[in-house]
Amino acid sequence: MTDHYRDTQPLPTGRIALVALFVTALVTAQLTASKLLGFSIPFSLPFTESLLVMPGAALAYALTFFASDCYSELYGPDEAHKVVNVGFAMNFVLLALVYSTIFAPAAPFSPVDPATFESVLGASLNIVVASLLAYLVSQHWDVRVFHAIREATDGDHLWIRNVGSTATSQLLDTLVFVSVGFAIVPALRGGDVQTVQQLLGLALGQYLLKLAIALADTPFVYAVVGYLRSRGVAAPAARTAD
């Protein structure tokens, strides 16, 4: 039986781990997006004042950009776009599994009340549409900008393409998610629409967190990329001046 697989090219563990991290963070973000978090800060900012408000998915979603930047650097734009597309499909698998469980009959002795279960895991249509659209636009943008910067710098300065691509794609993601999820879709459905002040505060709060994570994760991007290259499981850097 082993001989049958002997000539099969094994997939490096590091490559599997990056894809797994990407998908895990992505589905976690989908499940936690409906809760709004509020963090007090010791100073006042425009629109948000001393309270930073952001979706619960902000941290998990920021990790997807860390994983995709590492993967994009190591395996190229075509492979990175494939991961983004597979991740998009996995969102629908997640939704199908969650809602099939919500609609399935609960046992009389279930420790979790069905209504509570639905309210926690059953994201609203506003959030689902906004998160899917924001994901599709921003993740593909991230891959394209990452490699545009890579070509412009002749493969040097990984930190520039990591921060630059993530900063712009996270801004795009934030604007799409907030405007679609809290203004456009609610307006189309005749629901409550957030005020401009609230929308700007929500956008600013989550973008500041995402930008901080983009800056903070750069050493970890270098560590992951360097380690996997040293193991010979990815193409070497284009140049050594990085």
Side-chain angles (χ1 to χ4, degrees), residues 9 38 147 151 183 186 197 214 242:
Q9 184 67 31
H147 286 279
E151 291 181 8
Q197 176 82 14
D242 216 47

Short mmCIF file of all heavy atoms in Angstrom, two decimals, residues 9 38 147 151 183 186 197 214 242:
data_model
loop_
_atom_site.label_atom_id
_atom_site.label_comp_id
_atom_site.label_asym_id
_atom_site.label_seq_id
_atom_site.Cartn_x
_atom_site.Cartn_y
_atom_site.Cartn_z
N GLN A 9 4.56 13.64 -4.48
CA GLN A 9 5.31 14.74 -3.87
C GLN A 9 4.64 15.16 -2.57
O GLN A 9 3.50 15.62 -2.58
CB GLN A 9 5.38 15.94 -4.83
CG GLN A 9 6.23 17.09 -4.34
CD GLN A 9 7.70 16.74 -4.27
OE1 GLN A 9 8.18 15.93 -5.04
NE2 GLN A 9 8.41 17.35 -3.33
N GLY A 38 -15.71 47.21 22.53
CA GLY A 38 -15.42 48.60 22.87
C GLY A 38 -14.25 48.69 23.83
O GLY A 38 -14.28 48.08 24.90
N HIS A 147 2.69 41.80 -4.45
CA HIS A 147 3.63 41.45 -5.52
C HIS A 147 3.98 42.63 -6.41
O HIS A 147 5.05 42.66 -7.02
CB HIS A 147 3.09 40.26 -6.31
CG HIS A 147 3.22 38.98 -5.55
ND1 HIS A 147 4.40 38.27 -5.49
CD2 HIS A 147 2.34 38.32 -4.76
CE1 HIS A 147 4.23 37.20 -4.72
NE2 HIS A 147 3.00 37.22 -4.27
N GLU A 151 7.88 43.52 -6.97
CA GLU A 151 8.52 43.79 -8.26
C GLU A 151 9.17 45.16 -8.29
O GLU A 151 10.27 45.34 -8.83
CB GLU A 151 7.49 43.67 -9.38
CG GLU A 151 6.99 42.25 -9.63
CD GLU A 151 5.98 42.18 -10.75
OE1 GLU A 151 5.78 43.21 -11.43
OE2 GLU A 151 5.39 41.10 -10.95
N ALA A 183 -24.62 50.18 6.84
CA ALA A 183 -25.33 51.27 6.16
C ALA A 183 -26.10 50.79 4.95
O ALA A 183 -27.33 50.90 4.89
CB ALA A 183 -24.35 52.37 5.77
N PRO A 186 -28.52 47.43 5.62
CA PRO A 186 -29.64 47.82 6.48
C PRO A 186 -30.61 48.79 5.80
O PRO A 186 -31.83 48.68 5.98
CB PRO A 186 -28.95 48.49 7.68
CG PRO A 186 -27.61 47.85 7.73
CD PRO A 186 -27.23 47.65 6.29
N GLN A 197 -21.37 59.52 12.18
CA GLN A 197 -20.44 59.53 13.31
C GLN A 197 -20.13 58.11 13.78
O GLN A 197 -18.97 57.74 14.03
CB GLN A 197 -21.03 60.33 14.46
CG GLN A 197 -20.20 60.36 15.74
CD GLN A 197 -19.08 61.37 15.71
OE1 GLN A 197 -19.07 62.24 14.85
NE2 GLN A 197 -18.14 61.25 16.64
N ALA A 214 -0.52 44.91 11.65
CA ALA A 214 0.32 44.83 10.45
C ALA A 214 1.75 45.24 10.76
O ALA A 214 2.71 44.65 10.24
CB ALA A 214 -0.26 45.73 9.35
N ASP A 242 17.57 41.78 1.41
CA ASP A 242 16.35 42.04 2.21
C ASP A 242 16.68 42.22 3.67
O ASP A 242 17.43 41.48 4.25
CB ASP A 242 15.40 40.85 2.02
CG ASP A 242 13.98 41.30 2.00
OD1 ASP A 242 13.67 42.27 1.30
OD2 ASP A 242 13.16 40.64 2.69
#
